[in-house]
């Protein structure tokens, strides 16, 4: 086990990280090196990087010296950073703009009890094998007595094995709800909504075909410029209605353009422009894995779409169905419960927040739990007042 604190060494981990990421069946595109390293370049703070690495083979485990792989095979990783407000903690890279957080655990290596160079020492009872145990030790060392605060952990994530293995104070809290639909052709999505609404959707599809709208998948080299177009449309569509502040900041555009280009090259993302008469009237950024296609962010010229009699919701859902028709089992709407999503009768898929501490960190853990409960209560009160 080793801890990487050097951003240059984290950058150099890309090939090994990508191999590990591909080996993890439940990992999402938000655990790719392209997304995490790009996020660090835009949002990271000097001296706070903490990337826990579990290596097997030559130079494999033990100690916290040089972070180069040293000939060892990377079989486990957690990309984290130190924060100090409101209380000291270790949190995942990706921050609030990341829909799913997780650690990476090679399932083949973790299932082989003889594959660890650190023997059979255990940090507590629970699930997981030697890689999980080594990662738990690394998290304890990197946290240095503070809380490990894992936000937006999806059900079935590898981080749940870490949580099960953790000895000492720990808490599981509710986090954001995501919404999911089964992957497959558009006909399957229409069948979910009932005959009356299904007829309206079929009418929307006929109008989309008649409008002459064309889908253009942006090549990797053109993604940064196309992201700027997407964000311009996104900002305009929310004008006067409270756009998410982060979406208009330069660092977000830089991150999404840089990560999007790399993820497009690797097949982990797709930026699609919808054009009428050669003009971009909408753009959509989708994250991709073998198990899901997730609509991350879109922008649209609603005036142009209305003039062409194009229903944006139907247009985007048809696009998502195309991306899952080849075998991806889930079409994810990611976080958020906007009204247009409910029309498709999606299934809620709640994320969890996993708090891991020690006796020394127990006051901090409890304080974070109470702060979370207070924020949740405040949001609920505001929602009731609006209704």
């Amino acid at each position: 086990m080793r801890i990487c604190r050097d951003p240059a060494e984290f950058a150099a981990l890309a090939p090994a990280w990508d191999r590990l990421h591909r080996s993890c069946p439940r990992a999402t595109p938000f655990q790719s090196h392209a997304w995490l390293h790009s996020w660090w370049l835009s949002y990271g703070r000097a001296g706070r990087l903490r990337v826990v690495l579990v290596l097997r083979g030559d130079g494999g485990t033990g100690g916290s010296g040089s972070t180069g792989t040293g000939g060892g095979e990377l079989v486990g990783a957690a990309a984290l950073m130190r924060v100090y407000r409101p209380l000291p903690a270790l949190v995942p890279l990706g921050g609030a703009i990341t829909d799913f957080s997780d650690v990476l655990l090679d399932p083949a290596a973790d299932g082989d009890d003889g594959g660890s160079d650190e023997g059979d020492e255990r940090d507590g009872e629970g699930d997981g094998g030697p890689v999980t145990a080594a990662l738990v030790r690394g998290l304890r060392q990197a946290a240095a007595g503070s809380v490990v605060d894992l936000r937006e952990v999806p059900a079935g994530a590898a981080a749940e094995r870490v949580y099960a293995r953790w000895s000492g104070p720990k808490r599981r809290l509710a986090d954001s709800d995501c919404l999911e639909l089964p992957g497959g052709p558009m006909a399957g999505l229409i069948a979910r909504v009932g005959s009356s609404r299904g007829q309206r959707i079929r009418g929307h599809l006929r109008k989309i075909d008649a409008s002459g709208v064309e889908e253009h998948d942006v090549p990797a080299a053109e993604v940064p410029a196309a992201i700027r177009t997407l964000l311009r449309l996104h900002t305009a569509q929310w004008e006067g209605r409270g756009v998410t502040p982060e979406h208009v900041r330069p660092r977000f555009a830089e991150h999404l353009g840089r990560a999007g280009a790399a993820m497009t090259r690797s097949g982990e993302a797709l930026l699609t422009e919808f054009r009428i008469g050669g003009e971009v009237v909408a753009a959509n950024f989708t994250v991709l894995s073998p198990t899901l296609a997730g609509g991350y962010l879109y922008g649209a010229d609603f005036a142009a779409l209305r003039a062409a009699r194009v229903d944006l919701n139907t247009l985007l859902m048809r696009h998502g169905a195309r991306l899952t028709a080849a075998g991806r089992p889930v079409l994810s709407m990611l976080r958020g419960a906007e009204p247009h999503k409910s029309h498709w009768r999606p299934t809620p898929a709640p994320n969890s927040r996993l708090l891991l501490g020690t006796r020394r960190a127990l006051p901090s853990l409890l304080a974070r739990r109470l702060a979370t409960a207070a924020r949740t209560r405040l949001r609920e009160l505001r929602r009731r007042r609006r209704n």
Side-chain angles (χ1 to χ4, degrees), residues 330-342:
V330 172
L331 175 57
S332 176
M333 298 178 175
L334 300 182
R335 291 181 296 175
E338 296 86 348
H340 71 268
K341 294 181 179 180
S342 64

Side-chain angles (χ1 to χ4, degrees), residues 211-214 274-282 304-305 307-310:
S211 72
V213 65
E214 297 178 343
F274 302 88
R275 301 174 178 178
I276 297 177
E279 295 295 322
V280 178
V281 295
L305 291 170
R309 303 180 69 195
V310 171

Side-chain angles (χ1 to χ4, degrees), residues 18 30 137 139 144 183 243 252 289 309 316 321:
D18 290 343
F30 297 111
R137 285 191 287 274
L139 290 172
V243 67
F252 180 75
S289 77
R309 303 180 69 195
L316 294 178

